[in-house]
Amino acid sequence: MLRHIERSRTDALLEADLEESRLPEVTVSEDPLADLTHREGIEALRRAVQALPRRYREVVVLCDLEEVDYAAAAEALGCPIGTVRSRLHRARGLLLEKLNQEKQKRAAMTLLKPARCEI
């Protein structure tokens, strides 16, 4: 019975005619901690963008996330290009502040040690 299974494995047809674009991409991570850290970073960025005031959030979404150029963003928002640039500069500064605060909070949490209870 085992020999039959071993033989049938080698007789399996490979579909070499499939184009690479039709094959699903499989991602294998060798570092689950890095993946978790990356996902946490993305989630922190998402929260920080959502916490921005509307005028800053709009330019970040248009210019940084949607990759719309400054002229098109200015037209969509009904403001001059200079305003888009200054809002984007201020928004990026605010994002950096928020992300640094989040990073400091996480670092402080890792410094906390569990309390020991003696009976």
Side-chain angles (χ1 to χ4, degrees), residues 57-118:
R57 186 174 57 244
E58 289 173 337
V59 294
V60 167
V61 169
L62 285 173
C63 296
D64 288 341
L65 302 179
E66 297 293 328
E67 298 180 351
V68 172
D69 64 24
Y70 292 165
E75 186 177 325
L77 297 172
C79 63
I81 291 176
T83 302
V84 170
R85 290 179 185 196
S86 64
R87 285 181 184 174
L88 192 56
H89 178 75
R90 178 69 179 140
R92 288 173 178 162
L94 290 171
L95 285 174
L96 185 60
E97 287 176 23
K98 290 178 185 295
L99 292 173
N100 282 335
Q101 289 172 358
E102 175 110 7
K103 186 177 180 180
Q104 290 173 355
K105 286 179 188 177
R106 280 189 279 140
M109 294 298 290
T110 59
L111 294 176
L112 296 177
K113 296 182 180 178
R116 293 185 181 176
C117 298
E118 293 185 28

Side-chain angles (χ1 to χ4, degrees), residues 11-92:
D11 293 338
L13 294 175
L14 298 176
E15 296 184 30
D17 295 338
L18 288 177
E19 296 177 17
E20 286 185 26
S21 62
R22 290 179 47 201
L23 294 175
E25 289 187 28
V26 178
T27 305
V28 177
S29 174
E30 294 183 17
D31 189 0
L33 182 59
D35 285 345
L36 179 62
T37 304
H38 180 71
R39 282 186 298 220
E40 287 176 348
I42 289 173
E43 187 55 37
L45 178 60
R46 194 173 284 137
R47 284 191 305 270
V49 169
Q50 290 174 348
L52 288 173
R54 182 178 177 188
R55 65 179 177 263
Y56 298 131
R57 186 174 57 244
E58 289 173 337
V59 294
V60 167
V61 169
L62 285 173
C63 296
D64 288 341
L65 302 179
E66 297 293 328
E67 298 180 351
V68 172
D69 64 24
Y70 292 165
E75 186 177 325
L77 297 172
C79 63
I81 291 176
T83 302
V84 170
R85 290 179 185 196
S86 64
R87 285 181 184 174
L88 192 56
H89 178 75
R90 178 69 179 140
R92 288 173 178 162

